Amino acid sequence: MKILLPVLLLFVFACEDTQNENQENSLLFVASEGNYGNSDGSISVFNGENKIQIVENVGDVVQAVEVYNDNLFVIVNNSHLIKRYSISESGLKLPGFEIATNSSSPREMCIVDNKLYFTNWVSQDVKVLNLETYSIEASISLPGVPEDIVSSGDYLWVSIPNLELYDTNEGSSVIKIDIMNQSIVEIYEVGFGPQHLILDGDFLWIARIFYNSDWEAFYGSSRLNINSGEVVTLDYGQGTVCGGNIIKLNDQIYRTANGGVMPLDSDLSLNQSQRIGSYQSVYSASAHQESVFLGVSDFVAPDTVYIHNELGNVISTLSVDVLPGDYAIWSID
């Protein structure tokens, strides 16, 4: 132990130094939803631990952010907008500009070949935003209320947690959409309440949340083999679930649960012994390289984002506005 302990400490400090350097060579954008109905959603911009900018009053429920070609795209759910800001080393160039979505209630997005595909609650579709003309050029109708969307290149994958707005997450499907034809080619049953998705090789991993008639939350996970169509599901039972994110860290899939994120074993069971984070109310989670971002909220500003390394140690603590819900990284060249 007298030999191993210094070596272990040196390894930990070396990892933390590398992660701090990575943070300083990039900008982190934290989207805070704000209070529903108040249009006080915001974007905090960090270089390492330094908050270099905060863009306030972005709109009502800042839902999702995505970096693409030195631009930050922002979905503002209850303002029915997509905003675009140019990025430089000093942060976001203001005021940016916005695209109305015709009261569609946009939620999540992915970008493929200069087109932004985004899901919509009210219009129950995926809309296609052309990033050359900044016009919405098409929409793909869906059999329910969508949430998350990811791409495997030729296809889009969309979760359908609700059959109609504000049911108890009675939807149970993931939709496969052909990008070229902009049409549904397959519907997979994956269990009640599919929400956030992550695509890893041949597998689509799905975090699920659903409710009983008293709005008590239950949660589970599913895994879809996108080649064979085989679906594996596991329900964990009742619990306090907020966010329901699923992330990838060092070739391992994690799911938010019990105040942190836990690895999913091959049978989708939660590996409690390797949990990262232990907080009262985790609202969101994301990962980048060897870092895990956990947004913790008591629904009153300021809230906090804790950045953990792969060993579970806290390496940064960031103060942000209320309800940190999404994250994006821009690398400084």
Side-chain angles (χ1 to χ4, degrees):
M1 289 298 296
K2 291 181 180 179
I3 297 175
L4 290 178
L5 183 58
V7 173
L8 177 61
L9 290 174
L10 179 61
F11 172 74
V12 171
F13 291 142
C15 288
E16 290 185 355
D17 287 344
T18 300
Q19 286 175 313
N20 289 333
E21 182 179 348
N22 288 338
Q23 289 183 55
E24 291 173 359
N25 289 331
S26 62
L27 298 184
L28 167 66
F29 304 98
V30 180
S32 295
E33 292 180 13
N35 296 287
Y36 182 82
N38 287 354
S39 296
D40 59 351
S42 67
I43 302 167
S44 299
V45 186
F46 293 90
N47 179 211
E49 293 186 304
N50 299 317
K51 184 187 292 186
I52 64 171
Q53 186 183 27
I54 181 166
V55 183
E56 298 180 314
N57 301 317
V58 175
D60 191 357
V61 186
V62 178
Q63 175 67 27
V65 286
E66 185 89 9
V67 168
Y68 183 73
N69 286 352
D70 296 333
N71 293 304
L72 183 72
F73 291 90
V74 184
I75 284 182
V76 192
N77 170 248
N78 204 40
S79 294
H80 311 289
L81 296 172
I82 295 177
K83 295 196 171 187
R84 195 217 73 177
Y85 300 94
S86 299
I87 307 171
S88 71
E89 292 187 21
S90 58
L92 299 177
K93 183 178 180 180
L94 302 180
F97 72 91
E98 59 188 40
I99 303 101
T101 68
N102 301 318
S103 299
S104 69
S105 195
R107 293 295 290 175
E108 303 290 343
M109 63 182 144
C110 69
I111 300 174
V112 183
D113 294 335
N114 220 30
K115 293 186 179 182
L116 188 152
Y117 299 86
F118 61 101
T119 58
N120 301 273
W121 273 1
V122 170
S123 55
Q124 296 187 19
D125 60 8
V126 171
K127 295 187 188 300
V128 185
L129 176 66
N130 187 310
L131 297 184
E132 294 180 356
T133 64
Y134 287 98
S135 62
I136 295 174
E137 64 180 24
S139 65
I140 305 164
S141 295
L142 300 171
V145 181
E147 182 66 10
D148 206 5
I149 181 170
V150 296
S151 173
S152 58
D154 294 332
Y155 298 98
L156 302 172
W157 304 84
V158 180
S159 60
I160 308 289
N162 302 93
L163 297 179
E164 57 186 41
L165 272 176
Y166 310 119
D167 64 22
T168 54
N169 281 19
E170 296 174 7
S172 59
S173 61
V174 165
I175 308 297
K176 180 181 179 181
I177 296 172
D178 187 311
I179 288 181
M180 180 71 68
N181 299 326
Q182 296 184 351
S183 60
I184 295 173
V185 293
E186 197 76 50
I187 299 177
Y188 299 92
E189 292 299 316
V190 298
F192 286 124
Q195 300 244 352
H196 293 152
L197 310 172
I198 188 166
L199 190 61
D200 182 34
D202 294 335
F203 295 99
L204 182 70
W205 300 78
I206 305 148
R208 297 185 290 109
I209 305 172
F210 52 100
Y211 305 87
N212 62 19
S213 58
D214 295 322
W215 286 99
E216 295 171 317
F218 294 76
Y219 63 117
S221 298
S222 300
R223 183 181 64 236
L224 167 65
N225 186 315
I226 64 173
N227 292 322
S228 69
E230 178 188 13
V231 177
V232 178
T233 67
L234 183 63
D235 291 344
Y236 307 120
Q238 189 173 354
T240 303
V241 183
C242 203
N245 294 115
I246 196 160
I247 65 174
K248 182 179 178 180
L249 177 69
N250 289 338
D251 296 322
Q252 174 68 55
I253 303 299
Y254 288 70
R255 190 206 194 285
T256 51
N258 299 343
V261 291
M262 298 185 193
L264 295 181
D265 289 335
S266 58
D267 63 353
L268 300 181
S269 60
L270 295 165
N271 189 331
Q272 308 237 11
S273 66
Q274 295 185 35
R275 179 178 66 182
I276 295 176
S278 181
Y279 301 100
Q280 187 67 32
S281 53
V282 171
Y283 191 73
S284 62
S286 186
H288 178 69
Q289 295 178 343
E290 292 84 28
S291 298
V292 176
F293 307 94
L294 295 178
V296 176
S297 178
D298 58 6
F299 296 86
V300 178
D303 278 337
T304 306
V305 173
Y306 296 94
I307 304 180
H308 293 250
N309 63 18
E310 58 188 323
L311 302 177
N313 302 314
V314 176
I315 57 175
S316 297
T317 302
L318 311 178
S319 178
V320 297
D321 282 344
V322 67
L323 300 179
D326 201 18
Y327 311 84
I329 303 286
W330 179 75
S331 296
I332 299 174
D333 295 328

